[in-house]
Amino acid sequence: MARQQGWFALILALAIAAASVLTTFPLQLGLDLRGGSQLTLKALPAGSVSRVGPEELEAVQLVLERRINGLGVAESTLRTVGDDQLVLELPGEQDPTRAARVLGSTALLEFRAQREGTEESMRSLLGLRAQARAVLQVLEEGGSGGADADEPTTLDPEVIAELSSAISLDNDGQLSERDQLRAILQRVNEEIVALYEPAELTGKDLVTAGRQQEQNSQAWEVTLTFNREGGEAFAELTRRIAGTGRLLGIVLDGRSISEASVGPQFQAAGITGGGASITGRFTAEEARDLEVQLRGGALPLPILIQEVRTIGPTLGAANIRRSLVATLGGLALVAVFMVLIYRLSGVVAVVALALYALFNLAMYALVPVTLTLPGMAGFILSVGMAVDANVLIFERVKEELRGGNTLIRSIDAGFSLAFSSILDGHLTTLISCVALFSLGIGLVKGFALTLGIGVILSLFTALTCTRTLLRLLMSYKSLRRPELFLSSSQLPAAPVHPAST
């Protein structure tokens, strides 16, 4: 009895943990069930490539797939359309603009030294940029929050004119203040990049990128690790400008994203170790996007985002609702069938199946599994296997009772006799799942994964949960009656072992 109580405590703890997981980690639904974003991308000829062919498109696709994986969007699909187009579907992604920004940038990373004799121009441009950024940030945040209290909340038209004049930018007065500031920032960035020497180190020598929060700050920085050649080039570059007052510019796709000064202590050997970091008052999301771009590598060809749109469930809300009603109705009929045919053991089976469903969904949330319609089919099929395992056990129990065995012995014999059949059936299905997952792609993998998880959990619930619950119920004398398992007409006149009930 103590052993059964221990198993019951374990099952109860698992049920509480599974419920907690489901409330903490929501289930991920696929494009057919929840919708998401769809982007149409076109690869453009550039450099020596005058026409985009299958090989060039495949190279672009490989880089995009790495970036998609970095975005953490599961079950996404990227397929080619024609000779130069790609269609990307991102299940559950409700911010296609962000995805387009991350996927569409070239991500050409360069490290450049500031030209000699440009110190005064650089200081002036950096000051202009800081001023324009501060006002633009306040405008984009609606005039409150995020900016320091002493930062300006608006910019006088005369100041904008002075900024535009300082960088020789024509201002026709037709643009909004926000657009004028963006134009100023773009021109200032171009002016800053023009003050750098040609790149001595690029992202091709990058091994990996990461991100971390800056010390004593809410801002994030992106960390970089170079290969041996890149590390040596970075050390030489920093050694050359150390202590000179010239800046080290970090340029991404022709835009200066960070500038760093190198102290005189690095004049001897430069910054060694093969690592660097990019700072720029990045938010966590900005740092993650930059990390994804750098880890995915540079696009071999520029791409044009032709269309970005948010799409609803591809199956349609009515079809999903109808499928859900059919699923719940089918499960309810199965529960009624189990109770009518197997009586008390049928009730236990329904409870065990409810636990089985709870454990299954918790596993989907933990792995995580993106549920699509094929995945739901795998789940429902595994429910059928779980029901079948209980039926095998209860039929053996009924056979033992018809043969005149006692109730407790019939239950034990039922589990023992059905074990090999249940194990064989589950193992053969599991082998099929492994083959489907290894050889299949896309939705087939999802079907195999949900079915495989269900098969494993079915073994646990059928052989452990059902058995534990039945043995606990048998500790109550009022429930130790064979009539609760089999109709009186099918029971023998007198048990063979009347003393052992």
Side-chain angles (χ1 to χ4, degrees):
M1 187 60 190
R3 184 180 178 186
Q4 300 304 322
Q5 289 176 338
W7 276 111
F8 181 74
L10 174 63
I11 294 168
L12 191 61
L14 288 175
I16 294 172
S20 176
V21 166
L22 284 175
T23 56
T24 307
F25 304 100
L27 290 172
Q28 295 185 12
L29 302 180
L31 198 68
D32 52 351
L33 298 178
R34 188 174 59 165
S37 301
Q38 186 180 68
L39 290 82
T40 303
L41 317 170
K42 181 178 182 180
L44 302 174
S48 60
V49 179
S50 58
R51 181 179 176 279
V52 178
E55 292 183 0
E56 290 79 13
L57 194 61
E58 183 180 359
V60 172
Q61 186 175 359
L62 288 175
V63 174
L64 289 177
E65 285 176 344
R66 288 199 293 269
R67 293 189 184 182
I68 295 165
N69 293 334
L71 284 173
V73 181
E75 298 287 342
S76 58
T77 59
L78 180 65
R79 65 179 188 275
T80 57
V81 178
D83 294 332
D84 58 357
Q85 284 188 326
L86 295 158
V87 172
L88 171 63
E89 293 177 338
L90 301 170
E93 179 61 55
Q94 299 301 317
D95 187 8
T97 305
R98 174 187 172 234
R101 185 177 66 248
V102 174
L103 298 174
S105 63
T106 308
L108 176 59
L109 181 68
E110 298 172 305
F111 291 82
R112 298 187 183 186
Q114 182 186 342
R115 297 179 191 276
E116 294 182 6
T118 60
E119 289 81 357
E120 184 60 33
S121 299
M122 181 64 81
R123 273 194 296 273
S124 175
L125 288 170
L126 292 178
L128 285 173
R129 190 179 67 179
Q131 189 178 4
R133 275 182 175 174
V135 178
L136 184 60
Q137 180 184 0
V138 173
L139 291 177
E140 291 183 340
E141 292 174 355
S144 63
D148 295 336
D150 57 351
E151 286 183 344
T153 56
T154 185
L155 202 59
D156 189 281
E158 293 184 1
V159 176
I160 291 181
E162 290 177 5
L163 286 172
S164 301
S165 175
I167 55 177
S168 303
L169 178 67
D170 293 334
N171 183 5
D172 57 8
Q174 300 299 316
L175 298 176
S176 66
E177 184 176 336
R178 189 176 303 181
D179 289 338
Q180 290 180 56
L181 287 168
R182 286 175 179 155
I184 290 171
L185 278 173
Q186 183 177 350
R187 176 60 65 87
V188 168
N189 264 304
E190 292 171 359
E191 297 282 341
I192 290 175
V193 172
L195 298 182
Y196 291 127
E197 297 176 350
E200 298 181 29
L201 175 63
T202 67
K204 70 180 179 57
D205 292 317
L206 190 66
V207 175
T208 186
R211 62 193 164 101
Q212 63 185 20
Q213 194 167 12
E214 296 179 22
Q215 290 184 347
N216 304 322
S217 171
Q218 296 296 317
W220 287 71
E221 64 182 13
V222 177
T223 59
L224 308 173
T225 303
F226 299 108
N227 58 21
R228 186 175 60 82
E229 292 78 9
E232 291 175 355
F234 186 71
E236 173 58 24
L237 177 61
T238 52
R239 185 198 64 76
R240 197 161 56 81
I241 63 174
T244 63
R246 296 156 58 197
L247 297 176
L248 172 66
I250 302 172
V251 180
L252 182 71
D253 292 340
R255 180 171 55 92
S256 181
I257 58 173
S258 183
E259 302 82 22
S261 60
V262 183
Q265 67 271 28
F266 296 105
Q267 284 179 329
I271 299 177
T272 58
S277 62
I278 303 176
T279 59
R281 298 178 65 186
F282 299 126
T283 64
E285 184 176 291
E286 290 170 342
R288 178 176 172 76
D289 289 351
L290 182 56
E291 174 195 356
V292 168
Q293 291 170 337
L294 297 178
R295 293 182 72 168
L299 282 169
L301 292 175
I303 61 172
L304 173 67
I305 310 293
Q306 288 190 311
E307 185 181 28
V308 179
R309 62 191 181 110
T310 302
I311 57 178
T314 55
L315 287 177
N319 289 332
I320 292 174
R321 189 165 49 251
R322 199 174 301 143
S323 301
L324 186 62
V325 170
T327 301
L328 295 177
L331 293 176
L333 288 176
V334 169
V336 171
F337 172 83
M338 293 296 290
V339 172
L340 290 178
I341 300 299
Y342 298 105
R343 304 190 175 195
L344 181 60
S345 51
V347 174
V348 172
V350 171
V351 175
L353 289 173
L355 289 171
Y356 166 80
L358 180 65
F359 296 155
N360 246 307
L361 296 176
M363 284 296 296
Y364 295 165
L366 273 180
V367 170
V369 175
T370 300
L371 279 178
T372 60
L373 196 62
M376 292 293 292
F379 169 69
I380 294 171
L381 186 57
S382 69
V383 171
M385 292 199 65
V387 173
D388 185 57
N390 282 278
V391 168
L392 285 173
I393 294 168
F394 298 151
E395 284 297 329
R396 299 291 85 77
V397 173
K398 290 169 76 172
E399 286 177 4
E400 292 298 314
L401 287 174
R402 290 192 197 99
N405 210 343
T406 64
L407 181 55
I408 299 298
R409 288 179 180 175
S410 296
I411 291 174
D412 289 341
F415 279 94
S416 299
L417 293 173
F419 177 75
S420 61
S421 300
I422 295 172
L423 186 63
D424 290 348
H426 282 63
L427 277 181
T428 51
T429 306
L430 198 57
I431 291 170
S432 302
C433 293
V434 172
L436 282 174
F437 190 83
S438 303
L439 304 176
I441 58 172
L443 299 178
V444 177
K445 279 180 177 286
F447 171 79
L449 184 59
T450 54
L451 181 58
I453 292 174
V455 167
I456 295 171
L457 290 176
S458 170
L459 270 177
F460 174 75
T461 53
L463 301 178
T464 304
C465 296
T466 305
R467 186 171 195 157
T468 301
L469 293 174
L470 269 178
R471 293 303 300 265
L472 279 177
L473 290 178
M474 291 305 98
S475 63
Y476 297 94
K477 188 176 179 179
S478 59
L479 298 177
R480 282 204 303 270
R481 291 186 296 149
E483 301 81 40
L484 294 177
F485 292 80
L486 194 64
S487 65
S488 302
S489 60
Q490 298 181 51
L491 288 171
V496 177
H497 307 286
S500 305
T501 58

